[in-house]
């Protein structure tokens, strides 16, 4: 999971044109929650980065699903360029 999180950080560096990036990892109940947030241009503008720009997101989604979890991507103000939040939730197994 953390390896694929590196993909999210790489996406911020290559596409977001962000000044800041925050990474949080914590446990909520029976889930590991990994969040990558930036204050960059938002996903709508990242779409102009070319067709390869979405491979990293697809890889992160696939990895989260392989582990029984899911990936949520929010870019609530994509039109105004106020960043993106990527959150992976993975069940914790013993």
């Amino acid at each position: 999971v953390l390896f694929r999180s590196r993909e999210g950080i790489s996406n911020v560096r290559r596409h977001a044109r962000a000044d800041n990036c925050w990474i949080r990892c914590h446990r909520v109940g029976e889930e590991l929650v990994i969040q990558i947030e930036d204050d960059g241009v938002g996903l709508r503008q990242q779409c102009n980065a070319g067709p390869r720009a979405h491979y990293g997101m697809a890889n992160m989604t696939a990895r989260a699903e392989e582990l029984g979890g899911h990936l949520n991507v929010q870019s609530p103000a994509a039109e105004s360029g106020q960043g993106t939040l990527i959150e992976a939730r993975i069940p914790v197994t013993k």
Side-chain angles (χ1 to χ4, degrees):
V1 173
L2 293 175
F3 172 75
R4 292 297 179 195
S5 296
R6 193 173 111 205
E7 190 77 43
I9 297 164
S10 186
N11 283 348
V12 171
R13 189 177 46 103
R14 284 189 306 232
H15 306 299
R17 296 187 297 250
D19 291 324
N20 297 289
C21 177
W22 300 272
I23 303 162
R24 293 178 288 278
C25 182
H26 55 278
R27 185 176 176 162
V28 176
E30 296 301 314
E31 291 181 316
L32 174 64
V33 179
I34 302 169
Q35 297 173 315
I36 302 169
E37 184 175 8
D38 69 65
D39 61 358
V41 297
L43 290 177
R44 186 161 304 219
Q45 291 190 29
Q46 287 183 34
C47 290
N48 296 329
R52 292 187 53 113
H54 298 288
Y55 287 143
M57 203 72 73
N59 288 338
M60 288 187 294
T61 299
R63 183 63 178 147
E65 290 174 355
E66 285 174 12
L67 296 170
H70 63 276
L71 190 78
N72 183 34
V73 180
Q74 299 174 22
S75 192
E79 295 81 15
S80 60
Q82 293 182 359
T84 301
L85 171 65
I86 300 169
E87 179 179 89
R89 290 183 167 261
I90 308 299
V92 176
T93 58
K94 294 182 180 183

